[in-house]
Amino acid sequence: MLMCIASLTALTACSEDDTIGGGNASIIGKWKCTVDNYNDNGNDFGHDSFVGNTWEFKDGGVLKMGDEMTTYTIDGNDIVIAGGMEYGTVAKLTSSTLILDLTINATHPGRPYPTDHLEFAKQ
């Protein structure tokens, strides 16, 4: 009986909210930014909030950010945008939610790179 309960727990422990990378959810599609927590760590690096902007991840590694086009690659939970200008992790990916934790590859000698925590809702 204990084995049956353990089996049921194992089957119900994973939900859509736990899906990242190889699950049923796909990053392909349009995502509207709902949260943008930017941290410049004291750097003089300008930033406009992405809240309200739509990012469209397309097949073939093409990313449309508003009117701009760039590239992206994903390897497991690691994501690289614009050839390494931004890089980080896909912290959460479900059919309705995408969360990216990114580092902005900006040169500021002796200071940490700025980071950006972005949350998106599927369009």
Side-chain angles (χ1 to χ4, degrees):
M1 185 163 145
L2 183 58
M3 300 247 328
C4 289
I5 292 171
S7 301
L8 290 174
T9 303
L11 290 174
T12 59
C14 294
S15 70
E16 178 183 341
D17 289 338
D18 299 324
T19 303
I20 296 176
N24 293 332
S26 172
I27 200 167
I28 303 298
K30 292 183 180 182
W31 299 89
K32 185 173 185 177
C33 186
T34 57
V35 174
D36 183 353
N37 291 327
Y38 177 78
N39 181 357
D40 74 358
N41 301 302
N43 295 326
D44 296 324
F45 185 79
H47 175 74
D48 294 324
S49 177
F50 289 118
V51 172
N53 290 354
T54 300
W55 289 20
E56 183 178 3
F57 291 87
K58 299 181 177 198
D59 285 323
V62 175
L63 172 58
K64 184 176 180 190
M65 302 166 65
D67 294 331
E68 297 180 26
M69 300 287 270
T70 190
T71 61
Y72 75 95
T73 59
I74 294 181
D75 183 11
N77 295 344
D78 297 329
I79 186 166
V80 176
I81 298 173
M85 290 302 298
E86 295 183 62
Y87 60 91
T89 60
V90 178
K92 181 176 183 178
L93 176 60
T94 69
S95 61
S96 61
T97 303
L98 170 63
I99 298 177
L100 301 176
D101 288 317
L102 302 173
T103 298
I104 295 132
N105 195 2
T107 304
H108 295 284
R111 299 184 194 171
Y113 291 147
T115 59
D116 211 355
H117 172 87
L118 299 165
E119 297 184 14
F120 297 86
K122 187 77 175 231
Q123 294 288 281

